[in-house]
Amino acid sequence: MIHHLRAAGVSLVLDSRGAGVPAVVHWGRDLGALAESDLLALADAAVPAVPASSIDIPLRVSLLPVLADGWSGHPALSLIGARGTPRRLSTTRDGDVVLTVSAWADASITTRLELTEQGVLVVSHVVRNEGAAPIVLTAADVALPVPDRARELLDFSGRWAGERRPQRVTSGQGAWLRETRHGRGGHDDPFLTIAGTPGFDFGSGEVWAVHVAWSGDKRVRFERTDLGTALLAAGERFTTLTLEPGASYESPAVVATWSAAGIDGLSDRLHPWVRSWSTIDRPRPLSLNTWEAVYFDHSLARLEPLIERAAEAGVERFVLDDGWFLGRTDDRRALGDWTVDPVRWPDGLAPLIERVQARGMEFGLWVEPEMVSLDSDLARQHPEWLLSEPDSVTWRWQHVLDLSLAEVEQHLFERIDALLSEYPIAYLKWDHNRDLLVDDTGAQTRGLYRLLDRVRAAHPDVEIESCASGGARIDLGILRRVDRVWPSDTNDPLTRQRIQRWTGVLVPPEYLGSHVGDARAHTTGRVAQLSFRLATALFGHAGVESDLTRLAPADLEAVRAWGAVYRRHRDLLHSGRVVRADAADDALTIHGVVAPDGGEALFSYAVVDDTAAALPAPLRLVGLDPERRYRVDVVDLGAPVATLQDAAPPWFADAAAARAAGATGAGIELPGAVLAEAGLAMPLLLPGNALVLHVTAV
């Protein structure tokens, strides 16, 4: 039988005829409503010729391609000692979900394919040992064919404070293989692997993408053999996995997305899909995190002035970072002892929380439950709970607890539960500050998921942020269990512009913590204009990391004004369609959020380097309704931008004069088609400056 799944302009055609494992005939553009006879003809038309010096039957690349089928690339499924090829036992369909059960040696493999209403394809396997002896699995990847025209690849690498760095290659024959060995995604996580037509960009080109919804080690590859067949394949990376009789392995879901409208077309599918199951159910509060403001300098006297300044600036959530628990005076001790330090906090955290709440803010707390310091009561009492030997190499002077042990999971749950039960904590910043440095970390990741699920079930009103020394654990597996992620430990707006731009392809902006840091960035030493820091932090779940007690009154007033802008526009920022302009000049970073009904938008125009020309090209406002008229005005974030020009563009100068005179409806009016195609001349911003534009339909 031929199964045809259709949704949101996407078709998946699956050929499940015969005894072999089903094969994908087509994944991509919607083929329309096809009769059964047309589907049969389509599947038959896709059967290739038999070339010379090859297998003697047409090559059929199934959902589980293996060597014995004639597939000479990497196998999707690998069982040590298995002979022959997998065979299909059954294929059933329930709405937009197809389940196919295959058998190979003593294993049964159930493959689930779902095409969501947003056109997102979600695929996973369950491998079960049906025999009487153990079996050893070395791979259980999802493999999907892509057409020959997908010739360019884009994925990501990075480092601490420099995550999500895009890298682009032209594919040849062979494999482009990315494997992670961090026990988390890592700062160099491939993140999202995109294959597309040559020259694809944010707004153009046909692209196919895969992402592993998994917070541990992963393997992703693009592979083209000498026969011309190409695959995108992905799954959990492990060395060996032994299944005892009756035991099962459930692979992480692979999220696969197709777009005919470039990279933004991927976001057009992924963001609505994530929002369809997101746990976020209220406006994202403007947050302040204490880390860069005070580091380990914790006391009520030190923090009370910061609480006052935060309240004056309109902060809605005050988060106490690392340094509050027993003996934690620096980063070399005390992890694992999750009780309030009696020296710094002799009356517990209650006096601090009371002051935070009295100023109209909710309280959040930093934790790092998966880690332990050797210099801690927990490590001294339970050295057997460490994931690796006590004398093994440390990372940030800490070790990892073995979350595969039931007693470790129970202990951590009890400590977190006790904190959340004793204090009115609305939010946990859940950190993870090192790689595991051991192989086969799947049990650790599953233990983390169990622990998070237990905490959320016991305290459903507590929000959780996933931080992993910045952005080293951002994926759609962790996203189902948290309400926020921290894209990077850098608050340098120049670096953040790129990190947030690319992280936001997969993750909607309401999840992306984005903070205003000090003028001199703590991670790079660069000094940035306040207006640039404000504009950069606006387009996410906004917050503050700077020590507000040290700000000049004018700067504090600017932060207050910016906070008011954020609260006024966050419904738009966190529900709209994210768009990114393809600027020919790499010095310009342009992006925006357009309301679902097209009636409003916010755009950011940032100059991040020396421009290629003295007069940069006009700003094109993409994503607007071409048939509607819009008014464009500049958003006052409370701090000036720096320019080098003798005169601003007339429309910009006129709008500024109208605002200064108190006029309403300042700005230029033009049709959406004109704004998208011809654009607007912009002021000549110096590098490291940005403007935010508010666009409203009139």
Side-chain angles (χ1 to χ4, degrees):
M1 183 176 181
I2 313 295
H3 297 278
H4 185 196
L5 303 182
R6 300 175 64 208
V10 178
S11 279
L12 176 74
V13 179
L14 190 68
D15 184 357
S16 61
R17 297 175 296 177
V21 175
V24 173
V25 176
H26 172 82
W27 166 46
R29 191 185 306 274
D30 185 21
L31 301 178
L34 297 178
E36 184 176 353
S37 59
D38 291 333
L39 290 171
L40 291 170
L42 168 64
D44 289 341
V47 176
V50 177
S53 189
S54 73
I55 60 173
D56 296 324
I57 59 174
L59 177 66
R60 185 175 188 271
V61 182
S62 74
L63 291 170
L64 301 171
V66 297
L67 185 60
D69 284 328
W71 169 251
S72 58
H74 289 75
L77 180 69
S78 180
L79 286 170
I80 291 180
R83 299 172 65 87
T85 63
R87 65 188 188 281
R88 183 178 70 88
L89 298 180
S90 65
T91 304
T92 57
R93 177 177 176 179
D94 182 7
D96 291 320
V97 177
V98 172
L99 287 178
T100 182
V101 181
S102 308
W104 193 23
D106 286 334
S108 67
I109 307 99
T110 301
T111 302
R112 184 182 189 274
L113 304 97
E114 177 185 6
L115 188 63
T116 73
E117 65 181 55
Q118 299 82 13
V120 175
L121 179 61
V122 185
V123 189
S124 60
H125 303 302
V126 176
V127 182
R128 177 180 170 84
N129 184 356
E130 307 287 358
I135 61 175
V136 180
L137 189 67
T138 60
D141 297 341
V142 168
L144 296 168
V146 294
D148 183 69
R149 60 187 180 274
R151 289 283 174 161
E152 286 190 5
L153 300 177
L154 185 151
D155 68 3
F156 300 88
S157 188
R159 59 173 177 81
W160 176 76
E163 297 87 340
R164 244 72 66 208
R165 292 182 172 181
Q167 52 186 14
R168 193 162 184 151
V169 298
T170 299
S171 68
Q173 292 181 359
W176 174 264
L177 174 65
R178 298 290 306 282
E179 293 185 333
T180 66
R181 287 175 169 80
H182 304 289
R184 54 182 183 172
H187 297 103
D188 62 346
D189 186 5
F191 191 60
L192 185 69
T193 300
I194 306 172
T197 51
F200 72 86
D201 217 323
F202 285 112
S204 63
E206 192 177 10
V207 291
W208 295 257
V210 293
H211 166 83
V212 186
W214 179 243
S215 307
D217 291 335
K218 64 193 68 171
R219 172 173 48 234
V220 186
R221 69 182 181 276
F222 176 89
E223 190 161 17
R224 176 177 282 109
T225 72
D226 61 332
L227 294 176
T229 305
L231 293 178
L232 277 170
E236 180 186 357
R237 187 204 67 79
F238 50 84
T239 305
T240 60
L241 195 155
T242 300
L243 295 179
E244 298 295 331
S248 298
Y249 165 75
E250 182 175 353
S251 77
V254 171
V255 178
T257 316
W258 168 86
S259 161
I263 299 170
D264 276 2
L266 299 176
S267 298
D268 288 343
R269 300 188 187 282
L270 289 163
H271 290 185
W273 177 62
V274 170
R275 287 168 175 161
S276 74
W277 46 259
S278 171
T279 57
I280 294 174
D281 59 1
R282 66 185 181 102
R284 304 290 75 218
L286 183 66
S287 301
L288 181 141
N289 190 76
T290 64
W291 179 241
E292 288 191 354
V294 304
Y295 288 103
F296 291 105
D297 184 11
H298 282 210
S299 69
L300 192 58
R302 176 67 179 90
L303 290 170
E304 274 189 307
L306 186 58
I307 293 170
E308 291 303 310
R309 296 293 85 73
E312 292 172 12
V315 168
E316 298 163 303
R317 173 184 286 163
F318 187 94
V319 182
L320 183 65
D321 209 287
D322 193 0
W324 58 268
F325 49 97
L326 183 64
R328 183 68 163 178
T329 56
D330 57 33
D331 60 5
R332 300 192 179 199
R333 69 199 78 249
L335 281 174
D337 296 340
W338 300 110
T339 55
V340 178
D341 186 77
V343 176
R344 295 181 170 194
W345 303 103
D347 298 314
L349 293 178
L352 176 69
I353 298 174
E354 288 169 2
R355 285 161 175 77
V356 168
Q357 293 183 329
R359 298 296 278 127
M361 296 177 286
E362 61 186 38
F363 180 76
L365 192 66
W366 179 95
V367 293
E368 194 175 5
E370 300 155 77
M371 301 297 163
V372 65
S373 304
L374 285 184
D375 184 5
S376 68
D377 290 346
L378 182 65
R380 285 184 283 270
Q381 293 167 7
H382 292 287
E384 75 280 8
W385 285 3
L386 272 62
L387 185 64
S388 52
E389 295 301 315
D391 61 354
S392 61
V393 65
T394 55
W395 183 309
R396 201 179 182 241
W397 311 104
Q398 62 196 48
H399 282 263
V400 185
L401 291 170
D402 187 349
L403 267 65
S404 71
L405 300 177
E407 56 269 33
V408 173
E409 179 190 324
Q410 181 61 25
H411 169 80
L412 293 176
F413 173 76
E414 289 174 357
R415 291 309 313 137
I416 297 167
D417 179 64
L419 282 168
L420 297 179
S421 299
E422 180 177 0
Y423 296 110
I425 297 169
Y427 168 90
L428 288 178
K429 180 182 176 182
W430 188 300
D431 216 335
H432 182 281
N433 274 310
R434 62 159 286 175
D435 284 5
L436 303 191
L437 303 183
V438 299
D439 211 356
D440 292 345
T441 59
Q444 184 78 0
T445 303
R446 291 175 176 85
L448 166 67
Y449 285 175
R450 287 193 304 271
L451 179 58
L452 282 169
D453 291 345
R454 288 183 67 183
V455 171
R456 297 205 64 147
H459 301 276
D461 294 330
V462 175
E463 294 189 4
I464 298 176
E465 173 186 302
S466 173
C467 177
S469 42
R473 188 163 68 187
I474 298 179
D475 58 81
L476 297 182
I478 201 73
L479 212 67
R480 285 188 177 270
R481 296 167 170 87
V482 300
D483 308 278
R484 194 180 201 249
V485 295
W486 187 235
S488 180
D489 274 349
T490 187
N491 289 306
D492 183 332
L494 202 62
T495 309
R496 271 285 185 147
Q497 282 280 339
R498 185 198 70 246
I499 292 171
Q500 292 172 191
R501 183 177 184 83
W502 288 107
T503 307
V505 173
L506 178 71
V507 182
E510 60 267 29
Y511 281 94
L512 302 179
S514 182
H515 288 185
V516 178
D518 286 342
R520 183 177 294 279
H522 293 212
T523 56
T524 66
R526 274 195 295 254
V527 175
Q529 295 268 356
L530 178 57
S531 58
F532 190 34
R533 289 178 277 143
L534 297 172
T536 301
L538 181 67
F539 286 82
H541 180 178
V544 177
E545 199 90 6
S546 183
D547 185 355
L548 297 180
T549 66
R550 298 182 180 181
L551 290 191
D555 288 348
L556 184 63
E557 175 59 25
V559 173
R560 187 205 61 76
W562 164 81
V565 170
Y566 170 72
R567 288 189 297 275
R568 185 161 61 248
H569 292 293
R570 61 185 163 192
D571 286 348
L572 165 63
L573 289 167
H574 300 158
S575 66
R577 178 187 175 224
V578 176
V579 295
R580 307 164 188 91
D582 293 316
D585 189 344
D586 290 339
L588 304 178
T589 298
I590 302 161
H591 61 91
V593 180
V594 181
D597 65 358
E600 185 182 14
L602 279 178
F603 283 88
S604 169
Y605 175 82
V607 179
V608 298
D609 204 343
D610 294 331
T611 56
L615 293 174
L619 167 63
R620 296 169 54 241
L621 301 179
V622 298
L624 301 175
D625 184 342
E627 303 300 323
R628 300 173 77 171
R629 289 185 64 82
Y630 291 91
R631 178 183 298 117
V632 183
D633 197 9
V634 178
V635 178
D636 183 3
L637 297 182
V641 298
T643 63
L644 185 59
Q645 59 189 9
D646 290 339
W651 79 266
F652 188 89
D654 291 347
R659 283 194 308 276
T664 58
I668 191 170
E669 292 186 14
L670 284 168
V674 174
L675 292 170
E677 294 300 323
L680 299 171
M682 293 297 288
L684 303 182
L685 304 185
L686 290 173
N689 281 271
L691 285 170
V692 176
L693 302 181
H694 186 211
V695 183
T696 52
V698 295

